[in-house]
Amino acid sequence: MQPAQQLYQWLIAPIASELEAAEIDTLLFSMDAGLRTIPMPVLHDGEQFLIENYSLSMIPTFSLMNSNYQPMTNPQILAMGASEFTELNPLPAVPVELSTIAQEVGGQVFLNQQFTLENLIQERQRYPYEIIHLGTHADFKSGGQSNSYVQLWNEKLTLAQMQQMNWDNPPVELLVLSACRTAVGDNQAELGFAGLAVASGVKTALGSVWQVSDQGTLALMTEFYNQLGETQIKAEALREAQLSMLRGNVVIEGGQLRGSGTGGGVLLPPQLAELGQVDLSHPYYWSGFMMIGSPW
């Protein structure tokens, strides 16, 4: 906790009174190299986490941010992902994640063999989905753009391909990269896949800064989309989802995920159910995902 408190004293404490006087409720961070992977939600003033008082977003540069607010009324989601891989560990939560959020928001699901670059391109040409959600493995490695990837079913989506996806035609309001280290980058790809997507036309991207937990990701994403339906403001929806986990309102017990919008609960696959009860209130489970680009 000491590093989180020290960072708060350096970054937030000097302007805290001004923020309160101006009734600021959202903070945007444009961080330099070496600071971009800091999970800003866990900065701590000695009593509370930063996320308990502010919605947060990271931006590559102010010039790249689309500041226009357009409420997402009844958006459609293109939910794609993979749970089985030939060389990577399985992700048993992904099928549940995709089906749950598609049911919550409304849209189409493409799982495993259907999760191809061809289908992603064709579906975007067929219908202007406002939200695209990719649940899979990913990794960022410094160097050439071909070193880093988002894993599709039969191929890897590289940084170079991400940049050429024409995310602004049709426009994408929100790209969710539900995978590990999708907001990690370097000087050539600031904020990684998420930052590159924003620079290439996506209004807002949601990515992670570390190796996220399968159970924690399922819990956060399920709660996030439920909150998005309530607030229609992306950064605030993420904040409310993170607070729900922090406060113990989202739990895994009895083989089910229970949250504010899960009704009787979401049944977990056997591989996750056998892990038993999981305390999702620890920051490891909820603070690794960051909003990139416009918070609105």
Side-chain angles (χ1 to χ4, degrees):
M1 189 65 73
Q2 185 177 355
Q5 292 184 14
Q6 181 63 75
L7 284 169
Y8 181 92
Q9 292 301 316
W10 284 337
L11 300 178
I12 307 299
I15 59 172
S17 59
E18 297 175 50
L19 295 174
E20 184 177 359
E23 299 183 346
I24 299 298
D25 59 14
T26 303
L27 301 180
L28 307 182
F29 293 92
S30 182
M31 309 291 275
D32 204 351
L35 301 176
R36 295 172 189 141
T37 56
I38 294 174
M40 303 307 290
V42 300
L43 266 60
H44 203 275
D45 64 3
E47 297 182 359
Q48 291 183 308
F49 290 108
L50 187 63
I51 198 66
E52 295 183 72
N53 294 304
Y54 301 99
S55 297
L56 308 173
S57 185
M58 301 281 284
I59 54 176
T61 65
F62 283 97
S63 62
L64 289 176
M65 193 186 79
N66 182 344
S67 60
N68 296 321
Y69 171 62
Q70 179 179 343
M72 290 191 293
T73 306
N74 300 319
Q76 290 289 297
I77 185 170
L78 176 59
M80 309 183 79
S83 60
E84 304 168 1
F85 306 89
T86 56
E87 298 179 357
L88 300 169
N89 293 329
L91 296 174
V94 166
V96 181
E97 178 181 317
L98 299 186
S99 62
T100 301
I101 63 177
Q103 183 177 359
E104 177 74 32
V105 179
Q108 299 294 318
V109 173
F110 288 75
L111 179 65
N112 288 332
Q113 292 92 334
Q114 298 176 318
F115 181 31
T116 64
L117 182 58
E118 181 180 6
N119 281 342
L120 173 58
I121 294 172
Q122 288 183 351
E123 278 298 301
R124 292 193 63 239
Q125 293 174 342
R126 185 186 68 83
Y127 186 88
Y129 293 95
E130 292 179 87
I131 304 174
I132 296 177
H133 180 107
L134 306 181
T136 182
H137 279 292
D139 196 15
F140 181 88
K141 298 177 181 178
S142 295
Q145 290 194 330
S146 62
N147 293 343
S148 304
Y149 66 91
V150 173
Q151 182 67 52
L152 308 182
W153 172 251
N154 57 351
E155 61 185 309
K156 290 178 169 65
L157 180 66
T158 66
L159 279 170
Q161 289 173 306
M162 174 69 76
Q163 199 168 15
Q164 299 167 2
M165 286 293 292
N166 296 321
W167 295 110
D168 56 351
N169 183 28
V172 176
E173 272 283 323
L174 175 63
L175 173 64
V176 177
L177 298 169
S178 179
C180 295
R181 291 167 48 83
T182 49
V184 175
D186 59 14
N187 291 333
Q188 284 71 48
E190 187 176 335
L191 296 172
F193 283 96
L196 195 58
V198 171
S200 303
V202 171
K203 184 175 180 181
T204 308
L206 180 57
S208 63
V209 295
W210 58 54
Q211 300 286 347
V212 291
S213 153
D214 204 20
Q215 309 102 299
T217 300
L218 171 62
L220 181 67
M221 292 301 167
T222 302
E223 189 68 16
F224 168 69
Y225 283 106
N226 177 66
Q227 297 292 342
L228 188 61
E230 298 291 330
T231 70
Q232 297 188 4
I233 298 175
K234 289 167 279 191
E236 179 62 17
L238 179 60
R239 173 179 179 266
E240 291 294 338
Q242 291 172 322
L243 290 179
S244 292
M245 295 178 69
L246 169 63
R247 294 167 179 170
N249 297 327
V250 180
V251 297
I252 291 179
E253 58 184 9
Q256 292 187 328
L257 169 66
R258 300 183 185 276
S260 63
T262 59
V266 174
L267 190 64
L268 299 179
Q271 302 97 311
L272 297 182
E274 68 185 14
L275 298 177
Q277 186 170 343
V278 179
D279 180 8
L280 298 172
S281 66
H282 192 281
Y284 164 70
Y285 291 103
W286 53 261
S287 67
F289 278 94
M290 300 286 290
M291 201 67 72
I292 313 295
S294 171
W296 306 289

